[in-house]
Amino acid sequence: DIRMTQSPASLSASLGETVNIECLASEDIYSDLAWYQQKPGKSPQLLIYNANSLQNGVPSRFSGSGSGTQYSLKINSLQSEDVATYFCQQYNNYPLTFGSGTKLEIK
Amino acid sequence: EVQLVESGGGLVQPGASLKLSCVASGFTFSDYWMSWVRQTPGKTMEWIGDIKYDGSYTNYAPSLKNRFTISRDNAKSTLYLQMSNVRSEDTATYYCTRARVMDAWGQGASVTVSS
């Protein structure tokens, strides 16, 4: 199985700040990586796919980058509605696997 | 609007069986692979498995393939998850999702395994 190591586990930032969340795959996943946002009490929603493609309707302050085994999610100009847990997921190989999540709070 | 609505969750005793359903609407169900994913009370996400658009092929997480079975009825736009010999560690919220890049999620079905 491909292990997805996500960091940090939690993050506290101020409104307007830029935050970065990292995901490290245990082997090359060839950019087959998605990022999801899960707001408290809600189902997850797709933000980014193919490592850097923005899903329709997702604000442009969200962006993804990376290749090989290292990937990151960047949130520019943090808004209050960005309070959520963020997960990465690889779909390069079965079984599909998720990172452990990053809980983002506003300082 | 794409919608996925799970049902069938609840309290179940260890060793019992349970079948979850997911009714899809707002898209052509028979065009898509579908997946089941679960989230534990500690918020860990675990992929359970998926099924090809025509139901002819399935993939499973190795740790679950002997107890869980995924099926679908395209005429009813419905995805199923049959769970057998459930254990306390199967306690989770179960989501149906569309495709391997999960661009749609249901609201989740809560399953609690306890005597």
Side-chain angles (χ1 to χ4, degrees), chain B residues 59-70:
Chain B
N59 297 288
Y60 294 97
S63 61
L64 299 174
K65 70 178 298 182
N66 291 334
R67 297 189 299 118
F68 287 17
T69 302
I70 297 172

Side-chain angles (χ1 to χ4, degrees), chain B residues 10-32:
Chain B
L11 176 64
V12 60
Q13 292 198 331
S17 295
L18 189 68
K19 189 170 187 176
L20 304 182
S21 300
C22 170
V23 177
S25 61
F27 66 101
T28 304
F29 181 70
S30 57
D31 284 350
Y32 288 85

